Amino acid sequence: MRGIDFEDELQALILSKREDDYWDFKQQHHSNKANLLHDIICMANNRADRNAYIIFGIADGTFDVVGVENDENRRNQQQMIDFLKTKKFVSGIRPRVELRTLLLTGHEVDVLIIMNSTDTPYFLTEDFPDNGRKVRANHIYTRVGDTNTDIDKSADINNIEYLWKKRFLLTRSPFEQIMKHLENKEEWKQDDDTYYNIYNPEFTIAIEFDEDDRRFLIPEFYAYAMYNESTMYQMLSIKYFGTQLYGKQIALLDSGRYSTPTPDRGYLYFGEHRMNADYGFRFFTKDSPAGEEGRRLEIVRDSDPDPRIQKKR
C-alpha cells in the first residue's frame, strides 16, 4: 500500500476483520518464545513479497482494539532484535524487524514489522524449544493466506521453491535483478566503456560520450568541492541483452577521477500564482535508481583521468 499512511493502512487491515498473507492479529504478545520465533520466520518467508505485520492488541474473533498497555509479556523493539540475534539462523542472516506503537481508539497497539528481503528462506540450523513447543532446525516455514506452516512440519515444496527463487532474484524483473547485482562491485568487470556482470553477462552498463555536448564547459555547482572543478557529462545506459532498461546522465568530476549520476532539478514556489521560482534545488528521489539505489551506480575510476576534461591546476 505504497503512498498510504501507515496508521491508515493498519486501520484498514483491522476493519477488514480478517488475516491474510502478510498480516496477523494477536490479542497479546507471545508468552511462548518458540511461538514468537515461529511466527516471525513464517512472516519473513511470506509469499506476498512485501513487509509483513504482526499486530498486537486486537481481540481474537471480534477484531476489536483492546490494546497492550497492560500486557505483562509486552516487548519493545530492542528486546525483539536481541531475541532474534541469539538464534542460530543459516549463514547468520536473520530477519530484520521494527516495532511501532500506534494509539488507536484510546489503546496502544504494537505492530511488529518484518522487513521484506531477498534473503529467503530464513530457517534455523539449531532447534529452539520453549515449554513444549519447538522451532525445528532445517525446517522451512512460510505463510499462505492466513495460515502458517505447522511448527513440526516444513512448507510444501512449491512454496519452498518460490523462496529459493526469490533469493536468486528469479522472481524479479531484469531491471530489479541488475540493481541488486550492483550491490556487489566485485561482480562487475570493465571492457572499454562497458561494464558487464561476470555471472550474468547479459547485464551491461554502457558509458557513452557525446562528442557534441559542450556542457562540460560549465561545471556543476558541487564540482567546486573538488580539487579540480572541471566537469564533463556522459550518458549511462543499463542494458539487458542490448535492450536499454534505464538511462541517466552522469557527471565526471575532478578530471574524471570520480563519476556520479546527476541529481534531478526542482524548484520551490512561493506566492499566489506561483509563476516564478524563488528557490531551486537538486535532489535524488528516495528508492529511485539515481537515489538510494542509484548510489550503486557511482563509479570510482582509479585509471588515468580522461584527457578531454584535463585542466591546469
Side-chain angles (χ1 to χ4, degrees), residues 11-22:
Q11 288 180 331
L13 295 180
I14 294 170
L15 289 174
S16 72
K17 294 186 179 297
R18 65 184 181 87
E19 298 170 340
D20 213 326
D21 296 276
Y22 66 90

Side-chain angles (χ1 to χ4, degrees), residues 10 13 16 70-71 75 106 108 124 162-163 165 241 252:
L10 264 295
L13 295 180
S16 72
N70 298 315
D71 187 353
R75 298 173 178 84
E108 292 180 2
L124 299 182
Y162 169 82
L163 293 170
K165 286 179 179 179
F241 283 115
L252 275 72

Side-chain angles (χ1 to χ4, degrees), residues 50-215:
R50 53 154 297 158
N51 291 349
Y53 307 135
I54 301 176
I55 306 166
F56 301 99
I58 308 300
D60 296 334
T62 65
F63 300 98
D64 293 330
V65 178
V66 296
V68 291
E69 53 268 22
N70 298 315
D71 187 353
E72 62 181 14
N73 295 312
R74 190 178 186 182
R75 298 173 178 84
N76 58 33
Q77 176 171 298
Q78 192 58 54
Q79 289 172 321
M80 291 288 190
I81 293 173
D82 290 343
F83 171 70
L84 291 173
K85 206 187 314 187
T86 60
K87 305 304 172 286
K88 304 295 185 181
F89 281 91
V90 64
S91 301
I93 301 174
R94 48 191 49 80
R96 294 187 303 110
V97 299
E98 176 184 337
L99 187 71
R100 297 190 193 178
T101 300
L102 302 177
L103 188 63
L104 301 178
T105 64
H107 291 287
E108 292 180 2
V109 173
D110 287 343
V111 183
L112 183 65
I113 306 171
I114 299 91
M115 302 299 181
N116 190 30
S117 170
T118 57
D119 292 327
T120 59
Y122 294 97
F123 59 94
L124 299 182
T125 58
E126 181 179 290
D127 288 349
F128 177 73
D130 186 38
N131 292 324
R133 299 282 285 173
K134 182 192 296 183
V135 181
R136 299 173 185 267
N138 302 311
H139 280 50
I140 295 178
Y141 305 111
T142 188
R143 183 175 178 87
V144 178
D146 61 355
T147 304
N148 290 341
T149 306
D150 292 340
I151 200 168
D152 59 345
K153 298 178 181 178
S154 266
D156 293 338
I157 186 63
N158 62 312
N159 294 321
I160 295 174
E161 287 177 349
Y162 169 82
L163 293 170
W164 282 111
K165 286 179 179 179
K166 185 178 178 183
R167 172 176 284 246
F168 294 115
L169 308 179
L170 299 178
T171 62
R172 295 290 197 266
S173 68
F175 180 72
E176 290 175 300
Q177 291 181 43
I178 198 170
M179 294 305 295
K180 187 69 175 177
H181 283 299
L182 283 169
E183 291 180 354
N184 186 2
K185 292 183 179 180
E186 301 301 319
E187 291 187 16
W188 296 88
K189 296 297 182 183
Q190 183 177 6
D191 182 12
D192 293 329
D193 288 331
T194 299
Y195 297 80
Y196 65 92
N197 187 273
I198 59 177
Y199 301 115
N200 301 93
E202 65 272 21
F203 295 135
T204 58
I205 301 173
I207 309 296
E208 301 166 351
F209 278 98
D210 184 353
E211 298 294 344
D212 297 326
D213 190 352
R214 307 297 295 172
R215 286 172 293 177

